[in-house]
Amino acid sequence: MSSTNCRFYENKYPEVDEVVMVNVQEIAEMGAYVKLLEYDNIEGMVLLSELSRRRIRSIQKLIRVGKNEVAVVLRVDKEKGYIDLSKRRVSAEDIVKCDERYNKSKAVHSILRHCAEKFNISLEKLYETIGWPLSRKYGHAYDAFKLSITDSNIFEGLTPPNDAILEELKLYISRRLTPQAINIRADVEVSCFGYEGIDAIKLALKEAESVSTEQMQVKAKLVAAPLYFLSVQSLDKNQGIQLLEKSIEKIINSIEKNGGICKINMAPKAVTATEDAELERMLESNKKDENEDDEDEDEDED
C-alpha cells in the first residue's frame, strides 16, 4: 500500500446503517461491485434487489460504471471483508449529508496528503496524530481546520512527527480554506429635478455608503446618469445582499424627502467575474465618451 493512501476515518470499516460514498467498478448478475471511497477503496457490493424500489428494467439506467453513488451499509463481515450496501434505502436527505461530509473529508485528505508527500511521512501517521484526534474533538477535522485559520490554539495537544509539519499544515490550510470574498452588486436609477437636485443625489448616495461596516464597505458609483451601481465584498453572500438592501432603503428615504425618485434596475445579487468585467467596460466606454466631449468643447472654444 502506498504511504499516501489511507482511509478518511478512524474506523477501518463503516458501521451498519452508515451512509457512504462509493464508486461503481463493475456490474454483474448479482448486482454492482463498488469501492468505498472514504474507506481506502475497500470493496463492497450493492445487490440487485437493493438498487431501486421500483421494478428494474435496465440496470444500466440505475447505476453506471465509474459513477459515484451514495449507499447505505447493510452488513459488514470484518473477517472476510464483505460489505453489502443498498442504494434504494438512501433518502434525499442522506445524499445531501453524505455529499457534504465527503467533500469535507476530501479537503482534509488533500491537505494531509500534501504534508505527507512534502515530509516523506506516512499519511496514516498524520491521520493518527492530527486528523483523527481533531475529528474526535470537533466532529470533523475540516471544521477544526477552518477554525484554525483564526485560532491557532486548535492544534494544541497534538503530537505530530515534528513541528515543521504543523507549520506547513497551518500555512497550507490558510491557503486552501480561507474563504474568498463574494462581489455583491445592485443597479439603481436615482434622479431629482428639484432646485438642488444634484446635491440631493449626492446626499442619497452618501446615505447609501453610511451603512458600511468594518468588514463590508459599500461603494456607490456613477455609471451614466441617472444610473448608479452599489457594490460590496462579503464573505457571506446573504449578509452582503442584506447590507445592499439596507443601502437602497437609505437612498429611497433620502431622495424622496427631496422630491426625487429611486428605481431599482437590478436587485442586490452576487455577480460573476464576467458581469464585473462588463460593468468595467461600460465605465471605460462612458469615460472615453466624456473625454471626447471635453475635446470637442475645447475645439469649439478655439
Side-chain angles (χ1 to χ4, degrees):
M1 186 183 294
S2 168
S3 63
T4 53
N5 285 346
C6 186
R7 62 192 182 278
F8 292 174
Y9 313 123
E10 195 164 3
N11 293 336
K12 188 174 181 180
Y13 293 98
E15 298 293 329
V16 172
D17 293 331
E18 184 178 336
V19 180
V20 295
M21 186 68 73
V22 302
N23 182 269
V24 182
Q25 297 295 292
E26 181 187 349
I27 296 172
E29 288 183 11
M30 291 177 63
Y33 288 100
V34 299
K35 61 182 181 182
L36 281 69
L37 298 176
E38 298 156 287
Y39 288 90
D40 201 17
N41 296 329
I42 57 176
E43 191 177 86
M45 177 174 241
V46 181
L47 296 171
L48 197 63
S49 59
E50 293 296 335
L51 281 174
S52 174
R53 294 178 184 274
R54 294 172 293 179
R55 184 181 171 190
I56 299 172
R57 293 186 177 181
S58 171
I59 192 170
Q60 279 75 20
K61 288 184 179 179
L62 288 172
I63 198 162
R64 293 204 310 269
V65 172
K67 188 180 177 185
N68 288 358
E69 297 278 359
V70 176
V72 63
V73 178
L74 298 180
R75 285 172 292 276
V76 178
D77 187 333
K78 295 180 181 179
E79 290 182 7
K80 295 181 179 178
Y82 294 156
I83 300 172
D84 290 336
L85 305 123
S86 171
K87 184 173 178 285
R88 74 181 181 90
R89 304 189 196 197
V90 174
S91 68
E93 186 182 355
D94 288 336
I95 293 172
V96 172
K97 287 181 179 178
C98 187
D99 275 336
E100 184 182 350
R101 186 190 66 178
Y102 179 61
N103 288 329
K104 282 184 175 182
S105 300
K106 273 202 307 180
V108 170
H109 194 76
S110 175
I111 291 167
L112 291 180
R113 188 175 60 191
H114 164 80
C115 293
E117 290 173 348
K118 181 161 185 175
F119 292 93
N120 196 26
I121 290 172
S122 160
L123 179 56
E124 188 165 351
K125 185 70 175 174
L126 292 187
Y127 267 109
E128 289 172 352
T129 57
I130 299 171
W132 295 334
L134 288 176
S135 290
R136 287 196 298 269
K137 189 173 181 180
Y138 294 94
H140 200 294
Y142 180 88
D143 298 327
F145 283 1
K146 290 280 284 184
L147 288 171
S148 74
I149 295 171
T150 54
D151 183 3
S152 59
N153 295 327
I154 297 297
F155 298 115
E156 283 187 3
L158 298 180
T159 55
N162 61 62
D163 292 337
I165 290 175
L166 215 49
E167 291 306 312
E168 177 64 23
L169 185 67
K170 291 175 185 176
L171 183 67
Y172 200 62
I173 286 171
S174 177
R175 194 183 308 157
R176 282 285 305 273
L177 301 185
T178 300
Q180 299 297 313
I182 301 167
N183 291 329
I184 314 290
R185 200 182 91 209
D187 295 346
V188 295
E189 287 185 21
V190 186
S191 55
C192 183
F193 300 103
Y195 180 68
E196 295 180 344
I198 293 175
D199 291 334
I201 292 171
K202 285 181 179 178
L203 178 62
L205 296 177
K206 282 184 180 178
E207 286 289 316
E209 293 180 338
S210 71
V211 303
S212 297
T213 66
E214 191 175 333
Q215 291 79 24
M216 296 183 287
Q217 298 293 316
V218 175
K219 295 179 181 177
K221 289 188 178 180
L222 171 68
V223 179
L227 182 62
Y228 298 82
F229 76 90
L230 307 172
S231 65
V232 68
Q233 287 195 327
S234 173
L235 297 177
D236 185 289
K237 184 176 81 170
N238 291 331
Q239 286 182 5
I241 288 173
Q242 286 170 8
L243 192 67
L244 283 196
E245 286 173 346
K246 188 177 176 182
S247 183
I248 291 172
E249 283 178 20
K250 288 278 188 181
I251 292 177
I252 293 171
N253 292 336
S254 178
I255 201 69
E256 286 183 352
K257 283 180 185 175
N258 292 288
I261 56 171
C262 174
K263 178 186 172 187
I264 302 170
N265 284 359
M266 183 180 81
K269 71 168 190 173
V271 290
T272 63
T274 304
E275 288 172 312
D276 275 341
E278 286 176 3
L279 181 63
E280 286 297 325
R281 281 196 294 270
M282 192 185 298
L283 293 173
E284 285 294 325
S285 176
N286 290 338
K287 190 174 180 182
K288 186 178 178 183
D289 291 342
E290 287 174 7
N291 291 337
E292 288 175 355
D293 289 341
D294 291 341
E295 286 174 7
D296 289 342
E297 286 178 10
D298 290 341
E299 287 176 5
D300 290 342
E301 286 176 5
D302 291 341

